[in-house]
Amino acid sequence: MILTEILACCEQKVEDKFKTNETLFAHIEDLVLKDAEGNENPYDTVTDGLLWLKRAFELVELFFRNVLEDETCNEQLKSHLRKAYEECLLPYHGFLAQKLFENLHSFVPSRTSLLGPSHGNADNVEALDEFLVHFRANLQHLNEFYTKHDLHRIYKG
Protein backbone atom coordinates (compact mmCIF):
# COMPACT_ATOMS: atom_id res chain seq x y z
CA MET A 1 0.00 0.00 0.00
CA ILE A 2 2.71 2.52 0.96
CA LEU A 3 4.85 1.69 -2.08
CA THR A 4 1.79 2.08 -4.30
CA GLU A 5 1.12 5.53 -2.85
CA ILE A 6 4.74 6.61 -3.33
CA LEU A 7 4.74 5.40 -6.93
CA ALA A 8 1.41 7.13 -7.58
CA CYS A 9 2.79 10.41 -6.21
CA CYS A 10 5.89 10.20 -8.42
CA GLU A 11 3.80 9.27 -11.44
CA GLN A 12 1.39 12.14 -10.75
CA LYS A 13 4.23 14.69 -10.77
CA VAL A 14 5.34 13.48 -14.19
CA GLU A 15 1.80 13.39 -15.58
CA ASP A 16 0.90 16.86 -14.25
CA LYS A 17 4.01 18.38 -15.81
CA PHE A 18 3.40 16.58 -19.12
CA LYS A 19 -0.16 17.92 -19.32
CA THR A 20 1.06 21.52 -19.05
CA ASN A 21 2.53 21.28 -22.57
CA GLU A 22 2.10 17.91 -24.29
CA THR A 23 3.85 19.10 -27.47
CA LEU A 24 6.94 20.45 -25.73
CA PHE A 25 7.10 17.40 -23.46
CA ALA A 26 6.52 14.74 -26.12
CA HIS A 27 9.52 12.79 -24.79
CA ILE A 28 10.27 12.16 -21.14
CA GLU A 29 13.81 13.47 -21.65
CA ASP A 30 12.44 16.84 -22.85
CA LEU A 31 10.19 17.06 -19.82
CA VAL A 32 13.05 16.30 -17.42
CA LEU A 33 15.52 18.72 -19.00
CA LYS A 34 13.01 21.60 -19.06
CA ASP A 35 11.91 20.81 -15.52
CA ALA A 36 15.48 20.86 -14.20
CA GLU A 37 16.19 24.30 -15.69
CA GLY A 38 16.14 27.01 -13.06
CA ASN A 39 13.97 25.13 -10.61
CA GLU A 40 14.32 26.68 -7.16
CA ASN A 41 13.66 23.42 -5.29
CA PRO A 42 15.39 20.54 -7.11
CA TYR A 43 13.88 18.05 -4.64
CA ASP A 44 10.29 18.81 -5.63
CA THR A 45 10.46 18.35 -9.36
CA VAL A 46 9.44 15.94 -12.07
CA THR A 47 13.13 15.11 -12.39
CA ASP A 48 13.28 14.03 -8.77
CA GLY A 49 9.94 12.21 -8.97
CA LEU A 50 11.11 10.25 -11.98
CA LEU A 51 14.38 9.47 -10.22
CA TRP A 52 12.50 7.89 -7.31
CA LEU A 53 10.14 6.10 -9.68
CA LYS A 54 13.17 4.74 -11.56
CA ARG A 55 14.72 3.54 -8.31
CA ALA A 56 11.49 1.79 -7.33
CA PHE A 57 11.27 0.15 -10.75
CA GLU A 58 14.89 -0.97 -10.40
CA LEU A 59 13.94 -2.64 -7.13
CA VAL A 60 11.04 -4.43 -8.82
CA GLU A 61 13.21 -5.50 -11.76
CA LEU A 62 16.01 -6.79 -9.54
CA PHE A 63 13.55 -8.59 -7.25
CA PHE A 64 12.00 -10.47 -10.16
CA ARG A 65 15.38 -11.18 -11.73
CA ASN A 66 16.57 -12.62 -8.40
CA VAL A 67 13.45 -14.77 -8.22
CA LEU A 68 13.97 -16.09 -11.75
CA GLU A 69 17.68 -16.77 -11.18
CA ASP A 70 17.10 -18.66 -7.91
CA GLU A 71 18.02 -22.21 -8.88
CA THR A 72 16.66 -23.57 -5.59
CA CYS A 73 13.17 -22.23 -6.42
CA ASN A 74 12.68 -21.46 -2.74
CA GLU A 75 9.06 -20.67 -1.86
CA GLN A 76 10.11 -17.82 0.42
CA LEU A 77 10.97 -14.69 -1.57
CA LYS A 78 11.73 -12.25 1.25
CA SER A 79 15.49 -12.63 0.81
CA HIS A 80 15.15 -11.64 -2.86
CA LEU A 81 13.22 -8.50 -1.94
CA ARG A 82 15.71 -7.63 0.81
CA LYS A 83 18.65 -8.02 -1.58
CA ALA A 84 16.95 -5.82 -4.20
CA TYR A 85 16.05 -3.22 -1.56
CA GLU A 86 19.58 -3.09 -0.18
CA GLU A 87 20.98 -2.46 -3.64
CA CYS A 88 18.36 -0.13 -5.10
CA LEU A 89 16.78 1.91 -2.31
CA LEU A 90 18.57 1.51 1.01
CA PRO A 91 21.41 3.91 0.08
CA TYR A 92 18.80 6.66 -0.33
CA HIS A 93 16.49 5.84 2.59
CA GLY A 94 16.61 7.37 6.02
CA PHE A 95 15.43 5.70 9.21
CA LEU A 96 11.69 6.17 8.65
CA ALA A 97 11.74 4.88 5.08
CA GLN A 98 13.74 1.85 6.21
CA LYS A 99 11.10 1.07 8.84
CA LEU A 100 8.36 1.39 6.22
CA PHE A 101 10.23 -1.12 4.08
CA GLU A 102 10.34 -3.55 7.01
CA ASN A 103 6.53 -3.43 7.11
CA LEU A 104 6.26 -3.94 3.35
CA HIS A 105 8.78 -6.78 3.55
CA SER A 106 6.45 -8.78 5.79
CA PHE A 107 3.83 -9.00 3.01
CA VAL A 108 5.97 -10.67 0.32
CA PRO A 109 3.99 -13.51 -1.30
CA SER A 110 5.34 -17.00 -1.83
CA ARG A 111 6.80 -18.13 -5.16
CA THR A 112 3.66 -20.17 -5.88
CA SER A 113 1.38 -17.22 -5.10
CA LEU A 114 3.43 -14.99 -7.38
CA LEU A 115 4.22 -17.26 -10.34
CA GLY A 116 1.84 -20.18 -9.94
CA PRO A 117 2.64 -23.79 -9.05
CA SER A 118 6.02 -24.94 -10.32
CA HIS A 119 4.54 -27.69 -12.49
CA GLY A 120 2.42 -25.21 -14.46
CA ASN A 121 4.14 -21.83 -14.39
CA ALA A 122 6.52 -22.13 -17.37
CA ASP A 123 4.50 -19.64 -19.42
CA ASN A 124 4.48 -17.12 -16.55
CA VAL A 125 8.23 -17.50 -16.00
CA GLU A 126 8.95 -17.12 -19.72
CA ALA A 127 6.73 -14.03 -20.02
CA LEU A 128 8.32 -12.44 -16.95
CA ASP A 129 11.81 -13.19 -18.23
CA GLU A 130 11.01 -11.58 -21.60
CA PHE A 131 9.39 -8.57 -19.94
CA LEU A 132 12.44 -8.00 -17.72
CA VAL A 133 14.77 -7.77 -20.73
CA HIS A 134 12.80 -4.82 -22.12
CA PHE A 135 12.18 -3.33 -18.69
CA ARG A 136 15.92 -3.38 -17.90
CA ALA A 137 16.71 -1.75 -21.27
CA ASN A 138 14.36 1.14 -20.45
CA LEU A 139 15.84 1.54 -16.98
CA GLN A 140 19.34 1.49 -18.46
CA HIS A 141 18.34 4.25 -20.89
CA LEU A 142 17.05 6.38 -18.01
CA ASN A 143 20.23 5.76 -16.01
CA GLU A 144 22.40 6.80 -18.95
CA PHE A 145 20.28 9.93 -19.47
CA TYR A 146 20.44 10.89 -15.79
CA THR A 147 24.21 10.31 -15.76
CA LYS A 148 24.81 12.27 -18.97
CA HIS A 149 22.94 15.28 -17.58
CA ASP A 150 24.21 14.90 -14.00
CA LEU A 151 20.68 14.47 -12.60
CA HIS A 152 21.31 11.68 -10.06
CA ARG A 153 20.70 13.21 -6.65
CA ILE A 154 22.00 11.38 -3.64
CA TYR A 155 20.25 12.22 -0.41
CA LYS A 156 18.33 10.34 2.24
CA GLY A 157 14.59 10.52 1.74
Side-chain angles (χ1 to χ4, degrees), residues 60-83:
V60 170
E61 188 271 338
L62 184 55
F63 166 72
F64 281 116
R65 189 164 17 104
N66 290 342
V67 169
L68 292 179
E69 292 174 356
D70 179 5
E71 293 177 4
T72 67
C73 294
N74 190 333
E75 270 298 300
Q76 296 302 314
L77 303 179
K78 288 182 181 186
S79 65
H80 298 306
L81 181 60
R82 170 144 323 271
K83 182 179 177 185

Side-chain angles (χ1 to χ4, degrees), residues 13 42-53 146 153 155:
K13 281 184 182 181
Y43 301 106
D44 187 28
T45 62
V46 168
T47 306
D48 195 57
L50 183 59
L51 178 63
W52 281 101
L53 189 60
Y146 267 68
R153 296 191 180 101
Y155 63 92

